[in-house]
Amino acid sequence: MLRLPKSKNIYLRAGYNSRAAKNLGGFTGFSSGVGFSIGRIGLDYAWVPFGELGDTHRIGLRGRF
C-alpha cells in the first residue's frame, strides 16, 4: 500500500506584465501557471506567450533534502 505524505498543496498563478505587452501584441504580457507539492517533491508548470515569437512552456521539478 502506497502512503502519501500528509502535506499536499496546489498553487495557481496568473499575472500581467505591461512592459512586455507594448511591443509584441496578442496575449503577450499575460502569464499563468500551476504548481503541485506533495511532501518534499513539487512540480511546476507555466505558460508565457510572446506574440509572434510563439509561446513558452516551462516545467520545473523541485525537491527538498
Side-chain angles (χ1 to χ4, degrees), residues 29-57:
F30 176 75
S31 64
S32 63
V34 63
F36 301 96
S37 178
I38 299 175
R40 295 187 197 185
I41 299 172
L43 179 67
D44 299 315
Y45 170 79
W47 170 73
V48 182
F50 286 106
E52 293 179 9
L53 299 175
D55 298 339
T56 300
H57 300 273

PDB file of all heavy atoms in Angstrom, residues 29-57:
ATOM      1  N   GLY A  29       2.538  39.459 -22.362  1.00  0.00           N
ATOM      2  CA  GLY A  29       2.457  40.141 -21.074  1.00  0.00           C
ATOM      3  C   GLY A  29       1.650  39.346 -20.070  1.00  0.00           C
ATOM      4  O   GLY A  29       1.831  39.476 -18.874  1.00  0.00           O
ATOM      5  N   PHE A  30       0.747  38.496 -20.541  1.00  0.00           N
ATOM      6  CA  PHE A  30      -0.064  37.652 -19.665  1.00  0.00           C
ATOM      7  C   PHE A  30       0.700  36.357 -19.396  1.00  0.00           C
ATOM      8  O   PHE A  30       1.379  35.834 -20.273  1.00  0.00           O
ATOM      9  CB  PHE A  30      -1.398  37.337 -20.331  1.00  0.00           C
ATOM     10  CG  PHE A  30      -2.261  36.405 -19.541  1.00  0.00           C
ATOM     11  CD1 PHE A  30      -2.936  36.846 -18.423  1.00  0.00           C
ATOM     12  CD2 PHE A  30      -2.380  35.078 -19.898  1.00  0.00           C
ATOM     13  CE1 PHE A  30      -3.724  35.994 -17.685  1.00  0.00           C
ATOM     14  CE2 PHE A  30      -3.162  34.213 -19.167  1.00  0.00           C
ATOM     15  CZ  PHE A  30      -3.842  34.672 -18.061  1.00  0.00           C
ATOM     16  N   SER A  31       0.598  35.834 -18.203  1.00  0.00           N
ATOM     17  CA  SER A  31       1.210  34.538 -17.885  1.00  0.00           C
ATOM     18  C   SER A  31       0.340  33.808 -16.871  1.00  0.00           C
ATOM     19  O   SER A  31      -0.428  34.419 -16.142  1.00  0.00           O
ATOM     20  CB  SER A  31       2.626  34.724 -17.322  1.00  0.00           C
ATOM     21  OG  SER A  31       2.580  35.420 -16.109  1.00  0.00           O
ATOM     22  N   SER A  32       0.447  32.502 -16.867  1.00  0.00           N
ATOM     23  CA  SER A  32      -0.297  31.704 -15.892  1.00  0.00           C
ATOM     24  C   SER A  32       0.503  30.451 -15.571  1.00  0.00           C
ATOM     25  O   SER A  32       1.357  30.021 -16.339  1.00  0.00           O
ATOM     26  CB  SER A  32      -1.678  31.337 -16.423  1.00  0.00           C
ATOM     27  OG  SER A  32      -1.561  30.537 -17.572  1.00  0.00           O
ATOM     28  N   GLY A  33       0.202  29.874 -14.423  1.00  0.00           N
ATOM     29  CA  GLY A  33       0.926  28.678 -14.019  1.00  0.00           C
ATOM     30  C   GLY A  33       0.216  27.934 -12.912  1.00  0.00           C
ATOM     31  O   GLY A  33      -0.720  28.437 -12.290  1.00  0.00           O
ATOM     32  N   VAL A  34       0.667  26.718 -12.697  1.00  0.00           N
ATOM     33  CA  VAL A  34       0.128  25.867 -11.645  1.00  0.00           C
ATOM     34  C   VAL A  34       1.290  25.066 -11.048  1.00  0.00           C
ATOM     35  O   VAL A  34       2.254  24.745 -11.743  1.00  0.00           O
ATOM     36  CB  VAL A  34      -0.983  24.935 -12.190  1.00  0.00           C
ATOM     37  CG1 VAL A  34      -0.446  23.979 -13.230  1.00  0.00           C
ATOM     38  CG2 VAL A  34      -1.670  24.171 -11.084  1.00  0.00           C
ATOM     39  N   GLY A  35       1.207  24.800  -9.774  1.00  0.00           N
ATOM     40  CA  GLY A  35       2.228  24.015  -9.091  1.00  0.00           C
ATOM     41  C   GLY A  35       1.593  23.035  -8.136  1.00  0.00           C
ATOM     42  O   GLY A  35       0.535  23.294  -7.559  1.00  0.00           O
ATOM     43  N   PHE A  36       2.215  21.883  -8.004  1.00  0.00           N
ATOM     44  CA  PHE A  36       1.757  20.846  -7.089  1.00  0.00           C
ATOM     45  C   PHE A  36       2.895  20.505  -6.146  1.00  0.00           C
ATOM     46  O   PHE A  36       4.046  20.425  -6.562  1.00  0.00           O
ATOM     47  CB  PHE A  36       1.368  19.566  -7.844  1.00  0.00           C
ATOM     48  CG  PHE A  36       0.289  19.767  -8.850  1.00  0.00           C
ATOM     49  CD1 PHE A  36       0.593  19.990 -10.178  1.00  0.00           C
ATOM     50  CD2 PHE A  36      -1.042  19.740  -8.476  1.00  0.00           C
ATOM     51  CE1 PHE A  36      -0.396  20.171 -11.122  1.00  0.00           C
ATOM     52  CE2 PHE A  36      -2.040  19.924  -9.400  1.00  0.00           C
ATOM     53  CZ  PHE A  36      -1.717  20.144 -10.727  1.00  0.00           C
ATOM     54  N   SER A  37       2.581  20.304  -4.905  1.00  0.00           N
ATOM     55  CA  SER A  37       3.579  19.931  -3.922  1.00  0.00           C
ATOM     56  C   SER A  37       3.021  18.806  -3.062  1.00  0.00           C
ATOM     57  O   SER A  37       1.935  18.926  -2.499  1.00  0.00           O
ATOM     58  CB  SER A  37       3.926  21.136  -3.060  1.00  0.00           C
ATOM     59  OG  SER A  37       4.848  20.772  -2.072  1.00  0.00           O
ATOM     60  N   ILE A  38       3.758  17.719  -3.004  1.00  0.00           N
ATOM     61  CA  ILE A  38       3.389  16.587  -2.146  1.00  0.00           C
ATOM     62  C   ILE A  38       4.621  16.236  -1.328  1.00  0.00           C
ATOM     63  O   ILE A  38       5.611  15.747  -1.870  1.00  0.00           O
ATOM     64  CB  ILE A  38       2.928  15.367  -2.970  1.00  0.00           C
ATOM     65  CG1 ILE A  38       1.705  15.726  -3.797  1.00  0.00           C
ATOM     66  CG2 ILE A  38       2.635  14.189  -2.057  1.00  0.00           C
ATOM     67  CD1 ILE A  38       1.250  14.630  -4.733  1.00  0.00           C
ATOM     68  N   GLY A  39       4.536  16.530  -0.046  1.00  0.00           N
ATOM     69  CA  GLY A  39       5.689  16.281   0.819  1.00  0.00           C
ATOM     70  C   GLY A  39       6.881  17.120   0.409  1.00  0.00           C
ATOM     71  O   GLY A  39       6.810  18.333   0.335  1.00  0.00           O
ATOM     72  N   ARG A  40       7.990  16.464   0.067  1.00  0.00           N
ATOM     73  CA  ARG A  40       9.219  17.158  -0.301  1.00  0.00           C
ATOM     74  C   ARG A  40       9.396  17.357  -1.806  1.00  0.00           C
ATOM     75  O   ARG A  40      10.380  17.919  -2.245  1.00  0.00           O
ATOM     76  CB  ARG A  40      10.406  16.363   0.194  1.00  0.00           C
ATOM     77  CG  ARG A  40      10.496  16.260   1.670  1.00  0.00           C
ATOM     78  CD  ARG A  40      11.796  15.599   1.960  1.00  0.00           C
ATOM     79  NE  ARG A  40      11.882  15.077   3.290  1.00  0.00           N
ATOM     80  CZ  ARG A  40      12.983  14.545   3.754  1.00  0.00           C
ATOM     81  NH1 ARG A  40      14.025  14.442   3.000  1.00  0.00           N
ATOM     82  NH2 ARG A  40      13.010  14.094   4.975  1.00  0.00           N
ATOM     83  N   ILE A  41       8.470  16.887  -2.612  1.00  0.00           N
ATOM     84  CA  ILE A  41       8.598  16.940  -4.064  1.00  0.00           C
ATOM     85  C   ILE A  41       7.539  17.871  -4.645  1.00  0.00           C
ATOM     86  O   ILE A  41       6.390  17.860  -4.215  1.00  0.00           O
ATOM     87  CB  ILE A  41       8.460  15.538  -4.672  1.00  0.00           C
ATOM     88  CG1 ILE A  41       9.574  14.641  -4.139  1.00  0.00           C
ATOM     89  CG2 ILE A  41       8.517  15.592  -6.184  1.00  0.00           C
ATOM     90  CD1 ILE A  41       9.428  13.199  -4.525  1.00  0.00           C
ATOM     91  N   GLY A  42       7.937  18.664  -5.636  1.00  0.00           N
ATOM     92  CA  GLY A  42       6.998  19.578  -6.276  1.00  0.00           C
ATOM     93  C   GLY A  42       7.184  19.595  -7.782  1.00  0.00           C
ATOM     94  O   GLY A  42       8.258  19.308  -8.303  1.00  0.00           O
ATOM     95  N   LEU A  43       6.123  19.935  -8.491  1.00  0.00           N
ATOM     96  CA  LEU A  43       6.132  20.046  -9.940  1.00  0.00           C
ATOM     97  C   LEU A  43       5.437  21.343 -10.310  1.00  0.00           C
ATOM     98  O   LEU A  43       4.337  21.623  -9.835  1.00  0.00           O
ATOM     99  CB  LEU A  43       5.402  18.859 -10.576  1.00  0.00           C
ATOM    100  CG  LEU A  43       5.321  18.848 -12.100  1.00  0.00           C
ATOM    101  CD1 LEU A  43       6.708  18.651 -12.697  1.00  0.00           C
ATOM    102  CD2 LEU A  43       4.390  17.753 -12.558  1.00  0.00           C
ATOM    103  N   ASP A  44       6.090  22.160 -11.143  1.00  0.00           N
ATOM    104  CA  ASP A  44       5.544  23.452 -11.555  1.00  0.00           C
ATOM    105  C   ASP A  44       5.417  23.510 -13.072  1.00  0.00           C
ATOM    106  O   ASP A  44       6.267  22.972 -13.798  1.00  0.00           O
ATOM    107  CB  ASP A  44       6.459  24.598 -11.113  1.00  0.00           C
ATOM    108  CG  ASP A  44       6.612  24.669  -9.619  1.00  0.00           C
ATOM    109  OD1 ASP A  44       5.586  24.561  -8.925  1.00  0.00           O
ATOM    110  OD2 ASP A  44       7.738  24.831  -9.143  1.00  0.00           O
ATOM    111  N   TYR A  45       4.383  24.197 -13.547  1.00  0.00           N
ATOM    112  CA  TYR A  45       4.169  24.419 -14.977  1.00  0.00           C
ATOM    113  C   TYR A  45       3.752  25.872 -15.176  1.00  0.00           C
ATOM    114  O   TYR A  45       2.934  26.393 -14.421  1.00  0.00           O
ATOM    115  CB  TYR A  45       3.082  23.493 -15.516  1.00  0.00           C
ATOM    116  CG  TYR A  45       2.676  23.856 -16.924  1.00  0.00           C
ATOM    117  CD1 TYR A  45       3.454  23.483 -18.005  1.00  0.00           C
ATOM    118  CD2 TYR A  45       1.531  24.600 -17.160  1.00  0.00           C
ATOM    119  CE1 TYR A  45       3.100  23.839 -19.297  1.00  0.00           C
ATOM    120  CE2 TYR A  45       1.168  24.961 -18.439  1.00  0.00           C
ATOM    121  CZ  TYR A  45       1.957  24.576 -19.506  1.00  0.00           C
ATOM    122  OH  TYR A  45       1.608  24.940 -20.778  1.00  0.00           O
ATOM    123  N   ALA A  46       4.317  26.521 -16.195  1.00  0.00           N
ATOM    124  CA  ALA A  46       3.951  27.907 -16.509  1.00  0.00           C
ATOM    125  C   ALA A  46       3.824  28.078 -18.019  1.00  0.00           C
ATOM    126  O   ALA A  46       4.553  27.457 -18.791  1.00  0.00           O
ATOM    127  CB  ALA A  46       4.997  28.873 -15.972  1.00  0.00           C
ATOM    128  N   TRP A  47       2.888  28.936 -18.436  1.00  0.00           N
ATOM    129  CA  TRP A  47       2.670  29.274 -19.845  1.00  0.00           C
ATOM    130  C   TRP A  47       2.844  30.771 -19.999  1.00  0.00           C
ATOM    131  O   TRP A  47       2.217  31.553 -19.287  1.00  0.00           O
ATOM    132  CB  TRP A  47       1.277  28.849 -20.272  1.00  0.00           C
ATOM    133  CG  TRP A  47       0.879  29.355 -21.620  1.00  0.00           C
ATOM    134  CD1 TRP A  47       1.343  28.924 -22.823  1.00  0.00           C
ATOM    135  CD2 TRP A  47      -0.068  30.384 -21.903  1.00  0.00           C
ATOM    136  NE1 TRP A  47       0.737  29.622 -23.843  1.00  0.00           N
ATOM    137  CE2 TRP A  47      -0.137  30.537 -23.293  1.00  0.00           C
ATOM    138  CE3 TRP A  47      -0.862  31.198 -21.111  1.00  0.00           C
ATOM    139  CZ2 TRP A  47      -0.960  31.456 -23.915  1.00  0.00           C
ATOM    140  CZ3 TRP A  47      -1.686  32.117 -21.736  1.00  0.00           C
ATOM    141  CH2 TRP A  47      -1.737  32.235 -23.121  1.00  0.00           C
ATOM    142  N   VAL A  48       3.737  31.174 -20.918  1.00  0.00           N
ATOM    143  CA  VAL A  48       4.003  32.593 -21.165  1.00  0.00           C
ATOM    144  C   VAL A  48       4.009  32.814 -22.676  1.00  0.00           C
ATOM    145  O   VAL A  48       4.876  32.289 -23.365  1.00  0.00           O
ATOM    146  CB  VAL A  48       5.356  33.027 -20.567  1.00  0.00           C
ATOM    147  CG1 VAL A  48       5.597  34.506 -20.793  1.00  0.00           C
ATOM    148  CG2 VAL A  48       5.434  32.695 -19.097  1.00  0.00           C
ATOM    149  N   PRO A  49       3.033  33.559 -23.225  1.00  0.00           N
ATOM    150  CA  PRO A  49       3.029  33.839 -24.663  1.00  0.00           C
ATOM    151  C   PRO A  49       3.933  35.022 -25.017  1.00  0.00           C
ATOM    152  O   PRO A  49       4.073  35.956 -24.228  1.00  0.00           O
ATOM    153  CB  PRO A  49       1.575  34.166 -24.952  1.00  0.00           C
ATOM    154  CG  PRO A  49       1.058  34.729 -23.681  1.00  0.00           C
ATOM    155  CD  PRO A  49       1.825  34.033 -22.578  1.00  0.00           C
ATOM    156  N   PHE A  50       4.557  34.961 -26.190  1.00  0.00           N
ATOM    157  CA  PHE A  50       5.423  36.037 -26.667  1.00  0.00           C
ATOM    158  C   PHE A  50       4.994  36.525 -28.046  1.00  0.00           C
ATOM    159  O   PHE A  50       5.809  36.750 -28.924  1.00  0.00           O
ATOM    160  CB  PHE A  50       6.879  35.584 -26.700  1.00  0.00           C
ATOM    161  CG  PHE A  50       7.498  35.496 -25.340  1.00  0.00           C
ATOM    162  CD1 PHE A  50       7.737  34.269 -24.759  1.00  0.00           C
ATOM    163  CD2 PHE A  50       7.831  36.634 -24.631  1.00  0.00           C
ATOM    164  CE1 PHE A  50       8.309  34.181 -23.514  1.00  0.00           C
ATOM    165  CE2 PHE A  50       8.404  36.551 -23.377  1.00  0.00           C
ATOM    166  CZ  PHE A  50       8.640  35.328 -22.821  1.00  0.00           C
ATOM    167  N   GLY A  51       3.682  36.677 -28.266  1.00  0.00           N
ATOM    168  CA  GLY A  51       3.156  37.228 -29.516  1.00  0.00           C
ATOM    169  C   GLY A  51       3.592  36.431 -30.728  1.00  0.00           C
ATOM    170  O   GLY A  51       3.440  35.217 -30.790  1.00  0.00           O
ATOM    171  N   GLU A  52       4.171  37.103 -31.718  1.00  0.00           N
ATOM    172  CA  GLU A  52       4.605  36.455 -32.955  1.00  0.00           C
ATOM    173  C   GLU A  52       5.747  35.470 -32.738  1.00  0.00           C
ATOM    174  O   GLU A  52       6.003  34.609 -33.580  1.00  0.00           O
ATOM    175  CB  GLU A  52       5.033  37.520 -33.961  1.00  0.00           C
ATOM    176  CG  GLU A  52       3.893  38.381 -34.436  1.00  0.00           C
ATOM    177  CD  GLU A  52       4.361  39.442 -35.418  1.00  0.00           C
ATOM    178  OE1 GLU A  52       5.526  39.387 -35.854  1.00  0.00           O
ATOM    179  OE2 GLU A  52       3.554  40.321 -35.732  1.00  0.00           O
ATOM    180  N   LEU A  53       6.442  35.581 -31.634  1.00  0.00           N
ATOM    181  CA  LEU A  53       7.551  34.677 -31.336  1.00  0.00           C
ATOM    182  C   LEU A  53       7.080  33.307 -30.851  1.00  0.00           C
ATOM    183  O   LEU A  53       7.869  32.374 -30.791  1.00  0.00           O
ATOM    184  CB  LEU A  53       8.475  35.308 -30.291  1.00  0.00           C
ATOM    185  CG  LEU A  53       9.127  36.626 -30.693  1.00  0.00           C
ATOM    186  CD1 LEU A  53       9.909  37.190 -29.522  1.00  0.00           C
ATOM    187  CD2 LEU A  53      10.020  36.426 -31.901  1.00  0.00           C
ATOM    188  N   GLY A  54       5.829  33.185 -30.473  1.00  0.00           N
ATOM    189  CA  GLY A  54       5.291  31.909 -30.001  1.00  0.00           C
ATOM    190  C   GLY A  54       5.133  31.868 -28.493  1.00  0.00           C
ATOM    191  O   GLY A  54       5.332  32.858 -27.795  1.00  0.00           O
ATOM    192  N   ASP A  55       4.777  30.705 -27.997  1.00  0.00           N
ATOM    193  CA  ASP A  55       4.535  30.504 -26.562  1.00  0.00           C
ATOM    194  C   ASP A  55       5.713  29.798 -25.913  1.00  0.00           C
ATOM    195  O   ASP A  55       6.431  29.033 -26.552  1.00  0.00           O
ATOM    196  CB  ASP A  55       3.289  29.650 -26.342  1.00  0.00           C
ATOM    197  CG  ASP A  55       2.037  30.305 -26.878  1.00  0.00           C
ATOM    198  OD1 ASP A  55       2.044  31.539 -27.044  1.00  0.00           O
ATOM    199  OD2 ASP A  55       1.061  29.579 -27.132  1.00  0.00           O
ATOM    200  N   THR A  56       5.877  30.039 -24.630  1.00  0.00           N
ATOM    201  CA  THR A  56       6.870  29.344 -23.837  1.00  0.00           C
ATOM    202  C   THR A  56       6.156  28.512 -22.785  1.00  0.00           C
ATOM    203  O   THR A  56       5.270  29.003 -22.092  1.00  0.00           O
ATOM    204  CB  THR A  56       7.811  30.343 -23.129  1.00  0.00           C
ATOM    205  OG1 THR A  56       8.475  31.123 -24.104  1.00  0.00           O
ATOM    206  CG2 THR A  56       8.830  29.633 -22.283  1.00  0.00           C
ATOM    207  N   HIS A  57       6.526  27.256 -22.684  1.00  0.00           N
ATOM    208  CA  HIS A  57       6.009  26.355 -21.654  1.00  0.00           C
ATOM    209  C   HIS A  57       7.191  25.978 -20.763  1.00  0.00           C
ATOM    210  O   HIS A  57       8.187  25.449 -21.238  1.00  0.00           O
ATOM    211  CB  HIS A  57       5.413  25.094 -22.279  1.00  0.00           C
ATOM    212  CG  HIS A  57       4.288  25.387 -23.217  1.00  0.00           C
ATOM    213  ND1 HIS A  57       2.995  25.513 -22.791  1.00  0.00           N
ATOM    214  CD2 HIS A  57       4.265  25.600 -24.553  1.00  0.00           C
ATOM    215  CE1 HIS A  57       2.214  25.775 -23.829  1.00  0.00           C
ATOM    216  NE2 HIS A  57       2.966  25.834 -24.910  1.00  0.00           N
TER     217      HIS A  57
END
